[in-house]
């Protein structure tokens, strides 16, 4: 049994972009679930899915990121392995096409969990990642106001391993150096193979205040279904800190769930029963 759920952000979705995002998500779920069914580990699967999302300029991650107020692209990403509970993350990284792959390299090297700013960018260069100029990374897509295009994935593999990953270009015209929830464990993502996995999207300053991914995981641990856990976290986000966003999650039984309090959220999944779905 395998399961996978991915997202392309929460917020306003225009008709044209919604259709394009729906098609992209469907294709990525199909490709990535085929890898899982072929025996790929969950960590490789979420890295692969998020890399494809970063490569698609429809989404605010990788090659489609929002520039900050000085016109520079600073990106954040995290990848979490739920058996060891280890993770790798980068914050404010510049001039790379796939921050999630750099985050995976941080995880694999094991010397630290999170690299930020110039240190993250130097790490990428030292490990052979191609330099990508800002003009190739900055979004050229006319997105509607309030579109939060952070991307993420959570996967369950055939051996019961669970992993999660999240990547973002941040908010439009953010101050230089601003870091949101995405690269922070328990905020942008979390995974525990004994319980489940989570990826979040939305207004990072509010998601961080309640550590939203940790809230979802705690609910799963207490026996809530993924749908119930996601709904509880989003209810808390709105009521406690008046925040906007969405979460995706799955558990060790291959059940998937998601919730959001924005006008829309781009989600696609295949659960442990082989049932598929897509929503924008």
């Amino acid at each position: 049994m395998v399961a996978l759920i991915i997202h392309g952000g929460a917020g306003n979705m225009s008709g044209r972009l919604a259709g394009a995002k729906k098609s992209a998500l469907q294709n990525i779920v199909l490709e990535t679930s085929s890898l899982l069914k072929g025996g790929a580990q969950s960590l490789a699967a979420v890295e692969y899915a998020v890399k494809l999302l970063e490569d698609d300029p429809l989404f605010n991650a990788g090659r489609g990121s929002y520039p900050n107020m000085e016109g520079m692209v600073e990106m954040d990403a995290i990848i979490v392995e739920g058996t060891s509970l280890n993770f790798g993350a980068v914050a404010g990284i510049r001039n790379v096409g796939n921050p999630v792959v750099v985050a995976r390299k941080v995880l694999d090297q094991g010397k630290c969990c999170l690299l930020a700013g110039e240190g993250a960018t130097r790490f990428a260069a030292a490990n052979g990642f191609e330099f990508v100029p800002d003009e190739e990374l900055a979004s050229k897509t006319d997105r509607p106001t309030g579109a939060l295009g952070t991307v993420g994935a959570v996967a369950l593999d055939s051996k019961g391993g669970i992993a999660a990953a999240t990547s973002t270009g941040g908010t439009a015209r953010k101050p230089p150096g601003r870091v949101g929830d995405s690269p922070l464990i328990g905020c942008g993502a979390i995974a525990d193979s004994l319980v489940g996995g989570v990826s979040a999207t939305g207004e990072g300053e509010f998601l961080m205040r309640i550590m939203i991914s940790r809230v979802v995981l705690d609910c799963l641990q207490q026996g809530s279904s993924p749908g119930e856990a996601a709904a509880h976290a989003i209810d808390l986000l709105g009521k406690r800190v008046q925040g906007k966003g969405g979460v995706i999650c799955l558990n060790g039984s291959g059940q998937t769930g998601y919730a959001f309090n924005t006008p829309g959220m781009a989600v696609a999944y295949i659960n442990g029963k082989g049932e598929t779905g897509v929503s924008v």
Side-chain angles (χ1 to χ4, degrees), residues 2-247:
V2 301
L4 172 71
I5 184 167
I6 67 174
H7 73 80
N12 294 331
M13 303 286 175
S14 71
R16 178 178 60 83
L17 289 182
K21 285 188 173 184
K22 180 177 180 180
S23 177
L25 290 170
Q26 287 176 317
N27 290 336
I28 291 170
V29 162
L30 180 63
E31 285 189 48
T32 309
S33 63
S34 293
L35 293 178
L36 284 166
K37 291 173 183 177
Q41 293 184 332
S42 57
L43 189 67
V46 296
E47 179 186 7
Y48 182 76
V50 171
K51 180 180 181 296
L52 292 179
L53 289 161
E54 289 174 339
D55 288 341
D56 191 328
L58 283 171
F59 303 101
N60 173 27
R63 297 175 186 270
S65 296
Y66 287 125
N68 66 20
M69 64 173 55
E70 294 183 356
M72 299 182 297
V73 173
E74 296 177 313
M75 301 163 288
D76 307 327
I78 188 171
I79 187 166
V80 192
E81 200 282 305
T83 300
S84 65
L85 304 183
N86 196 13
F87 74 96
V90 290
I93 193 168
R94 299 193 60 207
N95 302 124
V96 296
N98 296 112
V100 73
V101 183
V102 184
R104 172 68 189 272
K105 177 65 80 171
V106 173
L107 185 158
D108 288 344
Q109 287 201 0
K111 296 179 180 179
C112 60
C113 291
L114 170 64
L115 285 172
E118 185 178 349
T121 304
R122 286 184 177 181
F123 174 86
N127 282 277
F129 287 88
E130 177 188 0
F131 178 93
V132 183
D134 281 343
E135 53 267 29
E136 291 187 23
L137 296 170
S139 173
K140 299 174 180 63
T141 303
D142 183 19
R143 301 187 181 115
T145 302
L148 305 170
T150 296
V151 304
V154 188
L156 168 70
D157 63 36
S158 59
K159 295 183 179 179
I162 295 174
T166 302
S167 180
T168 187
T171 57
R173 297 191 58 76
K174 64 185 178 182
R178 180 263 186 187
V179 175
D181 66 292
S182 295
L184 304 183
I185 191 72
C187 298
I190 197 167
D192 183 338
S193 295
L194 299 179
V195 182
V198 189
S199 174
T201 177
E203 299 172 329
E205 282 68 25
F206 299 97
L207 304 186
M208 288 186 280
R209 291 176 195 178
I210 66 167
M211 292 183 288
I212 193 166
S213 291
R214 181 77 238 186
V215 170
V216 177
L217 195 70
D218 285 346
C219 287
L220 292 174
Q221 191 164 32
Q222 292 162 13
S224 297
S225 71
E228 292 168 341
H232 170 76
I234 294 301
D235 184 62
L236 182 67
L237 176 67
K239 290 181 177 178
R240 189 71 176 84
V241 296
Q242 295 75 55
K244 297 291 185 182
V247 291

